[in-house]
Amino acid sequence: MQIEIKNLTKTYAGGFKALDQVNLSITNGMFGLLGPNGAGKSTLMRILVTLMQASEGEVLIDGRDIGKYRKEIRKMVGYLPQDFRFFAKLKSWEFLDYAARLGGMSSRKERRERVDEMLESVGLFEFRNRMANKLSGGMKRRLGIAQALIAHPSIIIVDEPTTGLDPEERIRFRNLLSDLGRSETIIILSTHIVGDISSTCNQMALLNEGSLIYQGTPDKLVELAKGHVWRSEVTPVQYEQLKEEVPIISTIPSGGGWEIQFVGEKPSYIDAIPVEPNLEHAYVHYMDNKLAHWNL
Ligand code: ADP
């Protein structure tokens, strides 16, 4: 499978550009779309699942323009939107059965088996008879994931999937997705949480203010941050000055001052030693300085 996004621009009513000339190529495997809130991720996802039209540019799936093959594309895609809601009063299993029917699974027997299989894999089998809207927040999220996966989609798109999940559920969810990542499937994971990407995605892109600022492997991004991450012991006075100049990513009290890590160029007025970067460091390195005081 191949998704080609070409010169994609989305201008909302009022003239706000949520996406600006985005070019992106996505192949089989797990693809992570990372960016802060407001970057344009949901807008891009909604265009990909044909719920919204781009203002300019095109999206081709295996060479076919999604605007011309909406029906076919919708059958191929499993989508978990950020604000997923249950719109019907159904039991959990009935809800999944309904989703399977929408996804084109016409055999009742096949659907029943698949529903049970999905309930098992998201850990909801014992809650199959509970009304979907009576499940806890985390369970609803898992049922949302199950409905996205049920009809064997070849493209899976999940928007901010780990929102509202506790740490254990997060890990379970990441594992569930990476199990799927082996076959002829594209999985697109949109998130503002760096940890969602690092453990699972072989390809990624960084989106900021509607523009793509990186596309490649997570490892390559980390590599590019080498020489830009530092550890230093600073006095309170140095700290006050430094925090105006560079993103400080960790602060631990030490002696009368602070042991800190920061990203960027080392100012001459302090001593610092280079630190081996990780994906979070690399993310900060690539983002605007206005993210400097983000709490990672
Ligand atoms: P993300 O998913 O990365 O948080 P979104 O795609 O939801 O980003 O939003 C990108 C930008 O577009 C934000 O500034 C948001 O306020 C704006 N936006 C989103 N939807 C609309 C809309 N329907 N009309 C106008 N602006 C919108």
Side-chain angles (χ1 to χ4, degrees):
M1 295 236 91
Q2 173 95 16
I3 302 177
E4 289 287 341
I5 297 170
K6 294 184 181 170
N7 303 320
L8 206 70
T9 294
K10 176 69 190 181
T11 311
Y12 281 115
F16 181 78
K17 255 189 198 172
L19 294 173
D20 191 5
Q21 294 287 321
V22 170
N23 286 286
L24 194 55
S25 178
I26 304 174
T27 50
N28 290 337
M30 287 273 277
F31 185 93
L33 181 67
L34 181 64
N37 287 328
K41 304 182 297 296
S42 294
T43 302
L44 181 56
M45 302 295 102
R46 277 187 232 128
I47 294 172
L48 285 182
V49 299
T50 75
L51 287 175
M52 190 191 266
Q53 279 187 333
S55 313
E56 287 169 45
E58 58 183 2
V59 179
L60 306 176
I61 295 184
D62 284 345
R64 294 193 297 182
D65 187 328
I66 60 167
K68 299 193 185 110
Y69 293 90
R70 276 179 76 175
K71 233 176 155 180
E72 291 85 344
I73 301 293
R74 285 196 180 184
K75 287 245 156 85
M76 288 165 73
V77 175
Y79 176 47
L80 177 62
Q82 193 175 352
D83 54 355
F84 182 69
R85 302 223 196 290
F86 302 98
F87 49 89
K89 286 196 171 172
L90 295 173
K91 290 177 181 170
S92 301
W93 78 263
E94 289 170 331
F95 177 75
L96 288 184
D97 188 65
Y98 176 67
R101 251 188 301 154
L102 281 186
M105 294 178 71
S106 51
S107 153
R108 192 184 160 95
K109 183 170 174 290
E110 203 186 312
R111 277 204 314 272
R112 283 289 160 89
E113 283 170 11
R114 183 65 178 155
V115 165
D116 284 355
E117 194 185 346
M118 284 317 304
L119 284 166
E120 284 284 3
S121 65
V122 297
L124 288 177
F125 189 76
E126 57 184 301
F127 300 98
R128 64 191 177 283
N129 286 318
R130 189 177 289 188
M131 302 303 281
N133 56 3
K134 293 272 153 51
L135 295 171
S136 73
M139 288 179 185
K140 278 185 185 156
R141 206 70 202 145
R142 284 190 261 148
L143 191 64
I145 293 157
Q147 66 78 34
L149 303 180
I150 195 144
H152 304 284
S154 42
I155 298 173
I156 298 160
I157 297 180
V158 280
D159 201 354
E160 299 283 353
T162 61
T163 309
L165 297 186
D166 62 34
E168 205 177 297
E169 286 177 325
R170 240 170 226 213
I171 292 167
R172 180 190 197 142
F173 171 69
R174 287 175 190 159
N175 290 342
L176 180 68
L177 280 190
S178 31
D179 280 353
L180 289 163
R182 6 153 205 94
S183 52
E184 276 276 296
T185 313
I186 290 178
I187 302 170
I188 302 176
L189 190 77
S190 140
T191 184
H192 70 279
I193 298 168
V194 178
D196 282 346
I197 304 270
S198 45
S199 47
T200 45
C201 296
N202 47 355
Q203 289 289 315
M204 67 171 289
L206 267 183
L207 192 66
N208 191 31
E209 295 181 348
S211 297
L212 215 59
I213 54 174
Y214 174 81
Q215 182 182 2
T217 63
D219 287 350
K220 175 83 188 306
L221 187 68
V222 171
E223 187 71 31
L224 292 169
K226 265 194 176 154
H228 299 280
V229 187
W230 304 91
R231 182 168 55 234
S232 180
E233 299 235 355
V234 291
T235 64
V237 173
Q238 288 172 326
Y239 181 82
E240 288 305 316
Q241 185 174 353
L242 195 63
K243 82 177 188 315
E244 299 303 320
E245 297 173 12
V246 292
I248 294 175
I249 51 175
S250 77
T251 312
I252 304 167
S254 164
W258 304 101
E259 187 193 308
I260 57 159
Q261 289 194 14
F262 65 92
V263 178
E265 301 317 307
K266 186 184 86 60
S268 57
Y269 60 86
I270 59 157
D271 288 327
I273 52 167
V275 172
E276 200 55 39
N278 61 31
L279 195 60
E280 286 184 354
H281 300 141
Y283 180 56
V284 174
H285 177 55
Y286 265 77
M287 287 293 166
D288 283 347
N289 281 339
K290 67 179 155 59
L291 295 179
H293 303 296
W294 253 39
N295 188 6
L296 292 170

